[in-house]
Amino acid sequence: MDPEEIKRQKLAEMQQRIQNDPEAQAQMQQQLEEQRAQQEMQKQKIMRQILSEEARSRLARIKMAKPQFAEQVEYQLIQLAQSGRLPIPLDDNNFRVILDKIHESAKPKRSFSITRR
């Protein structure tokens, strides 16, 4: 037997057990919630290192208004910081410049042409 096939079979068996056992479903759901909470805490820790106090408050306001955009900004900031292309800590003025660039790149480019008859 192929090792990949064995893994697939074991995964299928585990999924079958979870589907048939409500207690296992609850346990799996709890584990997923714990992982999400841990990832969120780790992301917040990184953001405290990357951003100044003013920039963090600006990001918090953005998160209240546009949570999906704020999440996108957080992930891009983390990537920039990990690649070393971001001054740490990032002050509010530089953060606004980055926000403008991200906002411009996220906008769909609209073009239209007018044909005269």
Side-chain angles (χ1 to χ4, degrees):
M1 275 188 138
D2 184 23
E4 290 296 319
E5 188 176 326
I6 293 171
K7 286 180 186 178
R8 276 185 254 132
Q9 285 179 350
K10 286 185 179 183
L11 181 62
E13 289 173 10
M14 286 175 44
Q15 288 175 344
Q16 186 68 24
R17 272 190 263 143
I18 289 172
Q19 287 177 352
N20 293 334
D21 187 9
E23 186 176 310
Q25 287 178 347
Q27 186 179 18
M28 185 68 122
Q29 186 69 20
Q30 183 181 4
Q31 286 177 350
L32 288 173
E33 289 298 322
E34 288 173 1
Q35 285 178 349
R36 285 187 197 123
Q38 187 177 21
Q39 287 174 350
E40 184 64 29
M41 287 175 49
Q42 191 173 18
K43 183 173 63 169
Q44 293 304 320
K45 180 181 174 187
I46 292 170
M47 295 310 290
R48 280 192 301 273
Q49 293 173 352
I50 293 174
L51 297 175
S52 67
E53 186 65 34
E54 297 87 19
R56 277 198 312 268
S57 66
R58 181 177 298 277
L59 182 62
R61 289 190 304 269
I62 292 170
K63 193 179 277 191
M64 283 190 282
K66 296 181 178 182
Q68 293 154 340
F69 179 70
E71 188 173 322
Q72 177 187 8
V73 168
E74 287 174 341
Y75 285 119
Q76 288 188 2
L77 286 174
I78 290 170
Q79 288 175 347
L80 288 171
Q82 288 175 344
S83 67
R85 297 185 296 168
L86 192 66
I88 295 176
L90 184 65
D91 65 348
D92 192 46
N93 292 331
N94 290 335
F95 182 54
R96 286 191 312 187
V97 170
I98 291 174
L99 283 174
D100 287 339
K101 288 180 182 177
I102 292 172
H103 184 68
E104 288 298 318
S105 68
K107 277 186 182 176
K109 304 293 184 212
R110 296 182 186 177
S111 64
F112 57 92
S113 62
I114 298 173
T115 55
R116 297 179 187 219
R117 296 180 195 187

